[in-house]
Amino acid sequence: TMEPPPPPPPPRWRFTRFARITGAAVLTCHFYYIISQTRRMSASLFPDFSQYDAPYLGAVDDPLSQQQRRRRLSSQLPKWLADYFDWHIAMRKKYPGTEILTDPNAPGLLIKACAYKCGGLHDRLGGLGWDLYFANQTRRIFMIHWCIPAPIEHYLVPNMVDWTLPWSEDTSHLWDERLFSNTTEQHIHCDRAVGEWKGLFDGYVEYMQGEDFWEKNIDLALDRAVHGNYSKVKILRYKVLGVDQRLEQRLLARHNETDPIAWTDAFPAAFWTLFRPSEGLQSELDGAFRHLGISAPFDHSAPPFYAIHARIRHPRGHMEQPIESKIGDKGAADKHGLGWEEGSSTKRFAIQVAQHALMCAEEVQLKRHRLHVPSHFFYADSEDLVTYMGGEYAYSGVRVLNMTGVEVLHIDRQQQHAPRSYYSAFIDLFIAAQAS
């Protein structure tokens, strides 16, 4: 059992939590505070949750298969994260429904809120390591809320850990109704309602972060949430777009944790612990698997297939010719503005990258599944490139398909569409996740 963290620094240092220190006269105070805070954080990667007096209640009401899946996924997680999930499940059982909000003994909530301009699927879901780290370090229940393009529950629902806001018609008095107004093509001031929650990183720049954010401000904000004047605030929000390398560095340097979550088995384990497709998305996903002639998820007896993603437009150009326009007439991100004139350097560059990716995939296929006819599913951030590769390779040994055959709407930049209009992006994600 970890020792409880030491008491906060003496009051004379407390002012450094809330102000950006620029004067040389207070540099020594600030340096002392950062060092002491770093020492505290390094001793508390797995915080002391004993104050809540709630043993792990597990999945006692679930079928045996659910318990088996949970154990299997937990075995792929670092201990601190498996323990956090255990605690999270226990808290939601101990304080069911709105009791998590109304019971004074219940822990606080940390909500990853998408109110406005939150990025695409990677920006929203790719930073799970940071999300869960923040929740663990603040001793709070991790939740997710989207204003755009629609509530996240249209696409993803809880699997083993409940991250949803407890809302129903009977509990509307506990929430600002604007939070749940985005059930049709356009939300009504949902972003304003989210903005009324206090932010975990209030006073700091949590978007397009600088060096100070990663090295100092995170510590100051976490300490404010645990020991400072935000410790009694029931709901804190944030929308940090995490950087994998920064989390890896922090976990190793501060906590001697070698599993960075990103790019290890811990990420899919955490993802499937949290999420499963919604009923509507699952129906469309089943149809897509049948249409594309590939196996249903986790059917390991089916022939293998490979997914290739050629991200031509990111960064927003290359050394020979910059890409001038990021957004086209339809507002699609990363799909317009790539020069496709015959003989242009951008077209040559795009084709070379795509062909090289196919060669790499073929090489892997020959090593792993030599006896199978390869199926390759091709993604790109240029519709022109997808069309070109489909025509060039459709009748050769490599089968190139765009996942759904329809325009994939960007969930951040293309708004005011019906919620199901965004299924294609999630279908692409889940199909690629099952690739060999």
Side-chain angles (χ1 to χ4, degrees):
T1 303
M2 302 294 292
E3 292 292 326
R12 63 180 179 276
W13 306 126
R14 280 185 182 275
F15 73 95
T16 60
R17 292 182 197 159
F18 312 113
R20 185 185 300 272
I21 304 303
T22 55
V26 294
L27 181 60
T28 303
C29 300
H30 185 62
F31 182 76
Y32 166 81
Y33 178 78
I34 293 297
I35 294 299
S36 64
Q37 175 65 12
T38 300
R39 187 176 300 115
R40 175 190 299 167
M41 296 295 293
S42 64
S44 60
L45 175 58
F46 182 33
D48 179 13
F49 291 125
S50 60
Q51 60 180 303
Y52 298 110
D53 189 28
Y56 170 49
L57 302 181
V60 295
D61 298 324
D62 297 335
L64 179 61
S65 58
Q66 180 83 339
Q67 295 184 46
Q68 291 173 332
R69 286 196 297 271
R70 168 122 178 83
R71 284 195 293 269
R72 184 174 68 249
L73 291 173
S74 292
S75 69
Q76 298 171 329
L77 297 170
K79 184 180 185 303
W80 71 267
L81 184 49
D83 289 341
Y84 173 77
F85 280 146
D86 290 347
W87 174 80
H88 187 294
I89 292 170
M91 289 297 101
R92 301 251 19 198
K93 285 182 177 291
K94 184 174 183 179
Y95 304 103
T98 56
E99 289 183 27
I100 198 73
L101 285 169
T102 59
D103 193 310
N105 295 316
L109 312 180
L110 182 66
I111 303 178
K112 183 163 188 178
C114 170
Y116 178 75
K117 295 298 182 187
C118 315
L121 287 178
H122 176 265
D123 286 332
R124 300 189 194 202
L125 303 175
L128 284 179
W130 276 114
D131 298 337
L132 296 165
Y133 176 80
F134 291 148
N136 184 73
Q137 295 305 96
T138 57
R139 290 79 156 164
R140 287 174 174 262
I141 298 296
F142 173 60
M143 292 185 175
I144 304 174
H145 180 71
W146 287 4
C147 290
I148 56 173
I152 184 176
E153 291 86 354
H154 278 277
Y155 314 106
L156 301 173
V157 294
N159 192 10
M160 301 175 189
V161 171
D162 185 2
W163 40 263
T164 59
L165 277 61
W167 181 86
S168 68
E169 294 295 338
D170 296 333
T171 61
S172 58
H173 64 286
L174 296 173
W175 297 103
D176 188 324
E177 62 181 10
R178 295 175 299 176
L179 291 168
F180 307 96
S181 65
N182 56 334
T183 55
T184 57
E185 284 76 359
Q186 187 173 8
H187 67 273
I188 304 172
H189 300 318
C190 175
D191 54 336
R192 297 183 185 179
V194 169
E196 293 180 1
W197 293 332
K198 287 190 179 296
L200 175 64
F201 296 105
D202 280 348
Y204 307 114
V205 180
E206 63 175 319
Y207 184 72
M208 302 296 288
Q209 309 95 338
E211 190 70 18
D212 277 356
F213 180 83
W214 304 110
E215 295 299 324
K216 301 176 183 178
N217 296 345
I218 287 178
D219 292 330
L220 298 175
L222 293 179
D223 187 71
R224 179 174 62 184
V226 176
H227 303 288
N229 62 344
Y230 278 13
S231 61
K232 302 301 182 182
V233 175
K234 190 64 177 181
I235 297 175
L236 292 178
R237 61 170 170 82
Y238 74 103
K239 72 166 190 177
V240 169
L241 308 181
V243 179
D244 297 341
Q245 295 86 348
R246 291 287 190 173
L247 179 60
E248 181 177 6
Q249 293 167 4
R250 172 175 281 261
L251 288 173
L252 184 60
R254 304 291 184 89
H255 313 295
N256 199 31
E257 172 58 64
T258 58
D259 190 330
I261 301 178
W263 305 103
T264 72
D265 289 341
F267 185 89
F271 185 94
W272 293 116
T273 298
L274 291 166
F275 305 116
R276 59 183 173 86
S278 66
E279 183 177 351
L281 177 59
Q282 185 64 63
S283 177
E284 296 290 327
L285 190 58
D286 292 341
F289 272 91
R290 289 193 299 269
H291 174 70
L292 295 173
I294 55 180
S295 64
F298 308 114
D299 179 4
H300 301 293
S301 64
F305 69 94
Y306 298 88
I308 301 164
H309 183 196
R311 189 85 187 261
I312 306 301
R313 289 204 32 152
H314 186 73
R316 301 177 187 179
H318 59 92
M319 64 178 65
E320 294 185 32
Q321 180 179 338
I323 296 171
E324 301 294 342
S325 172
K326 183 171 176 61
I327 304 176
D329 294 338
K330 296 183 179 180
D334 300 333
K335 291 187 178 182
H336 301 273
L338 179 67
W340 201 253
E341 298 79 14
E342 194 62 39
S344 69
S345 60
T346 51
K347 182 175 182 178
R348 289 197 305 270
F349 170 76
I351 293 173
Q352 288 170 1
V353 171
Q355 290 176 334
H356 184 265
L358 285 172
M359 290 171 60
C360 292
E362 287 182 297
E363 183 176 339
V364 172
Q365 190 272 333
L366 289 174
K367 290 180 178 178
R368 293 185 178 180
H369 306 104
R370 182 182 297 271
L371 300 179
H372 292 281
V373 176
S375 293
H376 295 89
F377 297 89
F378 184 79
Y379 301 81
D381 52 4
S382 164
E383 299 292 352
D384 292 318
L385 182 58
V386 170
T387 300
Y388 174 87
M389 296 299 288
E392 188 75 9
Y393 290 92
Y395 300 105
S396 66
V398 177
R399 183 158 59 108
V400 179
L401 299 176
N402 197 20
M403 291 292 103
T404 58
V406 299
E407 181 184 5
V408 179
L409 296 177
H410 194 280
I411 65 172
D412 186 67
R413 295 181 177 270
Q414 291 174 285
Q415 295 303 312
Q416 301 184 26
H417 296 270
R420 65 181 299 108
S421 302
Y422 300 92
Y423 279 169
S424 292
F426 292 87
I427 291 172
D428 280 2
L429 172 67
F430 280 109
I431 289 179
Q434 305 302 326
S436 299

